[in-house]
Amino acid sequence: NTAKKRETLPFQIDGIVINVNNNALFNKLGVAGKSPRAARAFKFSPKQATTKVLDIKLQIGRTGAITPVAVLEPVNVSGVTITRATLHNEDEIERLGIRIGDTVIVERAGDVIPDVAKVLTDLRTGKEKEFHFSKNCPSCLTKLKKLSGEVLWRCPNKNCPAVKRENLYHFVSKKAFDIDGLGPKIIDKLVDEKIITQAVDIFTLKEGDLIPLERFAEKSAKNLTESINKSKKISLSKLIFSLGIRHVGEETANDLADYFGSIDKLKKARKDELEKIGDVGPKIAESIYQWFNTKQNQKFIKELFTSGIEIINKKSKVKNQKLKGLTFVITGVLPTMTREAAIEKIRLFGGEISESLSKMTDFLIVGENSGSKLEKAKKLGIKTINEKDFLAMLK
Ligand SMILES: [Zn+2]
């Protein structure tokens, strides 16, 4: 009964506690270990389905990391059609013993990408194919490398076409240059037609370059060049984020922008200087330092500015320090504010925002369709608030 009701609840649950509804009896039953005998936890089975593995592919990310992915026969898991599941890394493939053609149980936990929970080896027909994890990049065939202490293989080729493409997607994405109308599909087209080969080329695109492309009407070409021009005015933090420096997420980019105030100063920063900032540790400092001290990247920055990039310094004057010393994490969709607007508010009032929950988190702001973060917050004893509570804190 509760399993059915679960779908309509405004929050996610992974189980219930069943109690004896009689105080006298409850007490009489006593305690075993730390938990009362009259209360029992009941866990729902996670949201699972059974399907077939059609193929296993290696996917390359922006940093060159290789993730194996299972291509699945489409299957519905709690209302969503799933065609892919992550296999995480080589070790996981070995652990599962998964083969192409296998029947598997896939599982969706919260809002994360589904993964393969179990391989049903009893259903094998003998036609399944073992998967050999190639040690060469699927895109450029360069020998893959694994850094010590890491589980992921990476393509070390700085000019790997697949990595370059992923970086282009990142460069134009919402939190970076935010170029309206320039998504992965159009990037793919522009790269395939060799109209662009690197990010800087985007800023020299003319309507005339776009119109000949298949299905590119005059109007959309005009709209795209307009939004490209608009994007040339960018805040320093977004520019830093767009560079795709390893370990530099939105929050770190913001801290770096606040601290250095210009790309020139950041460019010259020493490692020990970088380590003074926010959550930048030796690993992140090294990554930033290496990035700015690579010739190819220095040339890239130079070209960006010659192509007409202009930094707008919206030094958002901190209004007051009501949220000073407090760290927030947001999960789910807020009723009236966009996530970006909420983040801006937090910063404006002197607070910090983080992507993931930790002991340092003070508040989790919970919206609709919040995922596993809510449970984690409860486990860590972090206060959860809704949008209304949050706005009240600012008054
Ligand atoms: Zn490669």
Side-chain angles (χ1 to χ4, degrees):
N1 200 6
T2 312
K4 260 190 203 154
K5 221 191 256 170
R6 177 185 182 198
E7 304 299 329
T8 60
L9 291 173
F11 43 85
Q12 296 202 5
I13 57 173
D14 67 350
I16 50 172
V17 174
I18 301 164
N19 272 309
V20 173
N21 192 15
N22 178 322
N23 284 344
L25 193 55
F26 193 106
N27 293 330
K28 205 172 172 189
L29 280 165
V31 176
K34 274 185 181 168
S35 45
R37 284 200 187 91
R40 276 283 170 268
F42 175 82
K43 281 238 175 198
F44 298 123
S45 74
K47 298 169 181 184
Q48 295 181 329
T50 305
T51 186
K52 258 195 159 157
V53 178
L54 302 177
D55 200 358
I56 296 175
K57 284 188 172 162
L58 297 183
Q59 209 168 283
I60 313 181
R62 192 163 58 74
T63 59
I66 309 281
T67 313
V69 172
V71 181
L72 307 169
E73 214 168 73
V75 64
N76 191 303
V77 186
S78 58
V80 179
T81 303
I82 280 165
T83 57
R84 278 162 174 259
T86 176
L87 295 169
H88 303 283
N89 53 55
E90 193 186 12
D91 298 349
E92 175 74 358
I93 291 184
E94 234 159 76
R95 193 187 66 81
L96 287 166
I98 193 168
R99 295 180 189 173
I100 297 165
D102 265 339
T103 304
V104 294
I105 296 177
V106 287
E107 188 175 291
R108 270 180 74 217
D111 45 4
V112 293
I113 319 161
D115 46 21
V116 173
K118 199 177 178 212
V119 176
L120 303 172
T121 45
D122 290 347
L123 298 179
R124 278 188 180 154
T125 62
K127 282 185 183 160
E128 294 76 17
K129 275 192 282 177
E130 268 187 59
F131 175 73
H132 296 284
F133 200 105
S134 167
K135 295 292 144 61
N136 293 87
C137 172
S139 172
C140 68
L141 304 177
T142 305
K143 228 176 162 25
L144 299 179
K145 271 192 181 161
K146 197 191 263 187
L147 299 177
S148 64
E150 283 201 353
V151 285
L152 292 178
W153 288 94
R154 289 176 196 277
C155 173
N157 178 6
K158 285 208 166 64
N159 293 307
C160 175
V163 174
K164 274 183 132 179
R165 215 174 270 232
E166 291 293 329
N167 271 302
L168 282 171
Y169 301 158
H170 172 78
F171 187 81
V172 300
S173 65
K174 241 194 153 50
K175 290 172 180 176
F177 270 82
D178 190 15
I179 303 178
D180 218 16
L182 190 57
K185 270 194 188 143
I186 295 183
I187 293 268
D188 281 348
K189 224 187 251 180
L190 293 169
V191 173
D192 291 343
E193 301 281 337
K194 299 198 170 54
I195 295 172
I196 60 169
T197 56
Q198 50 169 346
V200 181
D201 299 339
I202 292 168
F203 297 112
T204 52
L205 278 176
K206 298 277 176 302
E207 273 175 61
D209 301 325
L210 299 167
I211 293 167
L213 291 181
E214 199 193 335
R215 280 188 294 170
F216 230 105
E218 220 163 286
K219 178 131 188 293
S220 50
K222 189 164 181 265
N223 287 343
L224 182 53
T225 46
E226 268 173 13
S227 56
I228 289 171
N229 276 329
K230 224 172 77 190
S231 77
K232 286 183 180 173
K233 285 193 165 77
I234 188 169
S235 69
L236 182 58
S237 58
K238 279 191 160 193
L239 174 69
I240 297 169
F241 178 71
S242 78
L243 300 175
I245 304 168
R246 221 167 132 202
H247 307 306
V248 177
E250 204 190 357
E251 206 36 45
T252 308
N254 205 53
D255 289 345
L256 290 170
D258 280 350
Y259 185 90
F260 290 102
S262 81
I263 203 93
D264 277 320
K265 281 189 187 147
L266 173 58
K267 219 161 61 182
K268 291 176 200 142
R270 295 184 320 270
K271 273 183 239 176
D272 59 309
E273 207 175 348
L274 289 163
E275 280 185 43
K276 281 185 206 152
I277 299 151
D279 55 358
V280 177
K283 197 166 105 185
I284 306 177
E286 176 71 30
S287 169
I288 298 167
Y289 182 82
Q290 287 302 340
W291 199 93
F292 282 102
N293 285 282
T294 303
K295 272 230 166 74
Q296 195 181 337
N297 295 334
Q298 288 167 349
K299 188 168 158 253
F300 176 67
I301 296 261
K302 215 171 175 184
E303 285 173 350
L304 262 187
F305 282 96
T306 28
S307 71
I309 297 301
E310 198 187 315
I311 304 240
I312 40 163
N313 262 332
K314 47 161 193 178
K315 262 268 171 204
S316 52
K317 279 239 161 52
V318 173
K319 260 196 176 164
N320 59 45
Q321 300 285 321
K322 276 199 173 147
L323 305 182
K324 194 178 159 83
L326 298 177
T327 301
F328 293 81
V329 173
I330 305 172
T331 183
V333 183
L334 301 179
T336 72
M337 297 171 112
T338 63
R339 179 176 288 254
E340 282 74 25
I343 290 173
E344 199 143 343
K345 272 240 152 58
I346 291 169
R347 286 190 184 134
L348 202 61
F349 284 85
E352 292 268 330
I353 178 94
S354 172
E355 290 286 321
S356 54
L357 289 169
S358 71
K359 279 179 190 155
M360 308 292 284
T361 314
D362 296 292
F363 292 98
L364 176 69
I365 305 177
V366 181
E368 236 178 282
N369 296 322
S370 60
S372 52
K373 281 195 177 129
L374 186 55
E375 288 164 40
K376 197 178 167 196
K378 276 183 193 149
K379 266 185 212 149
L380 290 170
I382 294 163
K383 266 191 204 146
T384 58
I385 54 173
N386 59 26
E387 186 194 275
K388 223 171 137 189
D389 302 329
F390 168 63
L391 291 172
M393 287 174 83
L394 308 177
K395 279 182 187 144

PDB file of all heavy atoms in Angstrom, residues 161 164-165 168 190-191 193-202:
ATOM      1  N   PRO A 161      40.340  14.417 -30.885  1.00  0.00           N
ATOM      2  CA  PRO A 161      39.139  15.049 -31.440  1.00  0.00           C
ATOM      3  C   PRO A 161      37.918  14.915 -30.527  1.00  0.00           C
ATOM      4  O   PRO A 161      37.128  15.856 -30.407  1.00  0.00           O
ATOM      5  CB  PRO A 161      38.894  14.296 -32.746  1.00  0.00           C
ATOM      6  CG  PRO A 161      40.128  13.545 -33.045  1.00  0.00           C
ATOM      7  CD  PRO A 161      40.906  13.404 -31.773  1.00  0.00           C
ATOM      8  N   LYS A 164      38.331  17.275 -27.597  1.00  0.00           N
ATOM      9  CA  LYS A 164      38.144  18.647 -28.088  1.00  0.00           C
ATOM     10  C   LYS A 164      36.661  18.970 -28.249  1.00  0.00           C
ATOM     11  O   LYS A 164      36.201  20.043 -27.884  1.00  0.00           O
ATOM     12  CB  LYS A 164      38.847  18.815 -29.438  1.00  0.00           C
ATOM     13  CG  LYS A 164      40.317  19.171 -29.297  1.00  0.00           C
ATOM     14  CD  LYS A 164      40.916  19.399 -30.642  1.00  0.00           C
ATOM     15  CE  LYS A 164      41.720  20.695 -30.677  1.00  0.00           C
ATOM     16  NZ  LYS A 164      42.327  20.906 -31.991  1.00  0.00           N
ATOM     17  N   ARG A 165      35.927  18.017 -28.793  1.00  0.00           N
ATOM     18  CA  ARG A 165      34.500  18.208 -28.999  1.00  0.00           C
ATOM     19  C   ARG A 165      33.772  18.401 -27.662  1.00  0.00           C
ATOM     20  O   ARG A 165      32.946  19.296 -27.510  1.00  0.00           O
ATOM     21  CB  ARG A 165      33.938  17.001 -29.737  1.00  0.00           C
ATOM     22  CG  ARG A 165      32.832  17.312 -30.700  1.00  0.00           C
ATOM     23  CD  ARG A 165      32.476  16.077 -31.470  1.00  0.00           C
ATOM     24  NE  ARG A 165      33.275  15.970 -32.687  1.00  0.00           N
ATOM     25  CZ  ARG A 165      32.755  15.773 -33.895  1.00  0.00           C
ATOM     26  NH1 ARG A 165      31.452  15.658 -34.049  1.00  0.00           N
ATOM     27  NH2 ARG A 165      33.523  15.684 -34.953  1.00  0.00           N
ATOM     28  N   LEU A 168      34.348  21.758 -26.408  1.00  0.00           N
ATOM     29  CA  LEU A 168      33.542  22.758 -27.108  1.00  0.00           C
ATOM     30  C   LEU A 168      32.126  22.798 -26.534  1.00  0.00           C
ATOM     31  O   LEU A 168      31.563  23.875 -26.309  1.00  0.00           O
ATOM     32  CB  LEU A 168      33.480  22.445 -28.605  1.00  0.00           C
ATOM     33  CG  LEU A 168      34.705  22.828 -29.436  1.00  0.00           C
ATOM     34  CD1 LEU A 168      34.595  22.260 -30.833  1.00  0.00           C
ATOM     35  CD2 LEU A 168      34.845  24.344 -29.503  1.00  0.00           C
ATOM     36  N   LEU A 190      29.249  21.837 -37.179  1.00  0.00           N
ATOM     37  CA  LEU A 190      30.305  22.804 -37.508  1.00  0.00           C
ATOM     38  C   LEU A 190      31.684  22.151 -37.523  1.00  0.00           C
ATOM     39  O   LEU A 190      32.523  22.478 -38.348  1.00  0.00           O
ATOM     40  CB  LEU A 190      30.285  23.969 -36.513  1.00  0.00           C
ATOM     41  CG  LEU A 190      29.049  24.876 -36.562  1.00  0.00           C
ATOM     42  CD1 LEU A 190      29.029  25.816 -35.371  1.00  0.00           C
ATOM     43  CD2 LEU A 190      29.000  25.667 -37.858  1.00  0.00           C
ATOM     44  N   VAL A 191      31.877  21.216 -36.597  1.00  0.00           N
ATOM     45  CA  VAL A 191      33.174  20.523 -36.539  1.00  0.00           C
ATOM     46  C   VAL A 191      33.301  19.564 -37.727  1.00  0.00           C
ATOM     47  O   VAL A 191      34.327  19.531 -38.402  1.00  0.00           O
ATOM     48  CB  VAL A 191      33.343  19.768 -35.205  1.00  0.00           C
ATOM     49  CG1 VAL A 191      34.597  18.906 -35.218  1.00  0.00           C
ATOM     50  CG2 VAL A 191      33.393  20.753 -34.039  1.00  0.00           C
ATOM     51  N   GLU A 193      31.944  19.731 -40.602  1.00  0.00           N
ATOM     52  CA  GLU A 193      32.135  20.476 -41.857  1.00  0.00           C
ATOM     53  C   GLU A 193      33.429  21.297 -41.829  1.00  0.00           C
ATOM     54  O   GLU A 193      33.682  22.092 -42.719  1.00  0.00           O
ATOM     55  CB  GLU A 193      30.941  21.422 -42.091  1.00  0.00           C
ATOM     56  CG  GLU A 193      29.596  20.737 -42.167  1.00  0.00           C
ATOM     57  CD  GLU A 193      29.333  20.078 -43.514  1.00  0.00           C
ATOM     58  OE1 GLU A 193      29.951  20.499 -44.506  1.00  0.00           O
ATOM     59  OE2 GLU A 193      28.532  19.132 -43.546  1.00  0.00           O
ATOM     60  N   LYS A 194      34.173  21.129 -40.745  1.00  0.00           N
ATOM     61  CA  LYS A 194      35.454  21.838 -40.564  1.00  0.00           C
ATOM     62  C   LYS A 194      35.299  23.354 -40.593  1.00  0.00           C
ATOM     63  O   LYS A 194      36.219  24.083 -40.985  1.00  0.00           O
ATOM     64  CB  LYS A 194      36.483  21.394 -41.614  1.00  0.00           C
ATOM     65  CG  LYS A 194      36.803  19.906 -41.509  1.00  0.00           C
ATOM     66  CD  LYS A 194      38.097  19.572 -42.227  1.00  0.00           C
ATOM     67  CE  LYS A 194      38.546  18.150 -41.934  1.00  0.00           C
ATOM     68  NZ  LYS A 194      37.535  17.109 -42.211  1.00  0.00           N
ATOM     69  N   ILE A 195      34.138  23.850 -40.207  1.00  0.00           N
ATOM     70  CA  ILE A 195      33.930  25.301 -40.145  1.00  0.00           C
ATOM     71  C   ILE A 195      34.588  25.844 -38.878  1.00  0.00           C
ATOM     72  O   ILE A 195      35.109  26.947 -38.860  1.00  0.00           O
ATOM     73  CB  ILE A 195      32.424  25.626 -40.194  1.00  0.00           C
ATOM     74  CG1 ILE A 195      31.875  25.186 -41.561  1.00  0.00           C
ATOM     75  CG2 ILE A 195      32.161  27.112 -39.965  1.00  0.00           C
ATOM     76  CD1 ILE A 195      30.401  25.251 -41.693  1.00  0.00           C
ATOM     77  N   ILE A 196      34.548  25.057 -37.816  1.00  0.00           N
ATOM     78  CA  ILE A 196      35.312  25.419 -36.620  1.00  0.00           C
ATOM     79  C   ILE A 196      36.210  24.245 -36.239  1.00  0.00           C
ATOM     80  O   ILE A 196      35.845  23.086 -36.441  1.00  0.00           O
ATOM     81  CB  ILE A 196      34.426  25.803 -35.405  1.00  0.00           C
ATOM     82  CG1 ILE A 196      33.517  24.635 -34.994  1.00  0.00           C
ATOM     83  CG2 ILE A 196      33.593  27.034 -35.702  1.00  0.00           C
ATOM     84  CD1 ILE A 196      32.823  24.861 -33.670  1.00  0.00           C
ATOM     85  N   THR A 197      37.394  24.558 -35.711  1.00  0.00           N
ATOM     86  CA  THR A 197      38.244  23.489 -35.192  1.00  0.00           C
ATOM     87  C   THR A 197      38.551  23.718 -33.726  1.00  0.00           C
ATOM     88  O   THR A 197      38.916  22.812 -33.008  1.00  0.00           O
ATOM     89  CB  THR A 197      39.576  23.379 -35.963  1.00  0.00           C
ATOM     90  OG1 THR A 197      40.219  24.645 -35.906  1.00  0.00           O
ATOM     91  CG2 THR A 197      39.359  23.003 -37.411  1.00  0.00           C
ATOM     92  N   GLN A 198      38.410  24.948 -33.271  1.00  0.00           N
ATOM     93  CA  GLN A 198      38.635  25.235 -31.855  1.00  0.00           C
ATOM     94  C   GLN A 198      37.670  26.322 -31.393  1.00  0.00           C
ATOM     95  O   GLN A 198      37.037  27.002 -32.213  1.00  0.00           O
ATOM     96  CB  GLN A 198      40.073  25.674 -31.644  1.00  0.00           C
ATOM     97  CG  GLN A 198      40.474  26.771 -32.605  1.00  0.00           C
ATOM     98  CD  GLN A 198      41.797  27.385 -32.242  1.00  0.00           C
ATOM     99  OE1 GLN A 198      42.298  27.196 -31.160  1.00  0.00           O
ATOM    100  NE2 GLN A 198      42.348  28.162 -33.146  1.00  0.00           N
ATOM    101  N   ALA A 199      37.590  26.479 -30.065  1.00  0.00           N
ATOM    102  CA  ALA A 199      36.586  27.360 -29.486  1.00  0.00           C
ATOM    103  C   ALA A 199      36.644  28.789 -30.037  1.00  0.00           C
ATOM    104  O   ALA A 199      35.611  29.407 -30.289  1.00  0.00           O
ATOM    105  CB  ALA A 199      36.737  27.374 -27.970  1.00  0.00           C
ATOM    106  N   VAL A 200      37.848  29.291 -30.238  1.00  0.00           N
ATOM    107  CA  VAL A 200      37.988  30.678 -30.695  1.00  0.00           C
ATOM    108  C   VAL A 200      37.274  30.897 -32.034  1.00  0.00           C
ATOM    109  O   VAL A 200      36.725  31.972 -32.290  1.00  0.00           O
ATOM    110  CB  VAL A 200      39.479  31.046 -30.832  1.00  0.00           C
ATOM    111  CG1 VAL A 200      39.640  32.479 -31.279  1.00  0.00           C
ATOM    112  CG2 VAL A 200      40.177  30.860 -29.502  1.00  0.00           C
ATOM    113  N   ASP A 201      37.269  29.864 -32.870  1.00  0.00           N
ATOM    114  CA  ASP A 201      36.636  29.984 -34.185  1.00  0.00           C
ATOM    115  C   ASP A 201      35.157  30.369 -34.100  1.00  0.00           C
ATOM    116  O   ASP A 201      34.613  30.949 -35.032  1.00  0.00           O
ATOM    117  CB  ASP A 201      36.762  28.667 -34.961  1.00  0.00           C
ATOM    118  CG  ASP A 201      38.210  28.278 -35.193  1.00  0.00           C
ATOM    119  OD1 ASP A 201      39.069  29.178 -35.115  1.00  0.00           O
ATOM    120  OD2 ASP A 201      38.479  27.099 -35.448  1.00  0.00           O
ATOM    121  N   ILE A 202      34.533  30.022 -32.986  1.00  0.00           N
ATOM    122  CA  ILE A 202      33.111  30.339 -32.826  1.00  0.00           C
ATOM    123  C   ILE A 202      32.879  31.847 -32.956  1.00  0.00           C
ATOM    124  O   ILE A 202      31.903  32.292 -33.551  1.00  0.00           O
ATOM    125  CB  ILE A 202      32.606  29.843 -31.446  1.00  0.00           C
ATOM    126  CG1 ILE A 202      32.615  28.315 -31.419  1.00  0.00           C
ATOM    127  CG2 ILE A 202      31.209  30.382 -31.146  1.00  0.00           C
ATOM    128  CD1 ILE A 202      32.430  27.716 -30.040  1.00  0.00           C
TER     129      ILE A 202
END
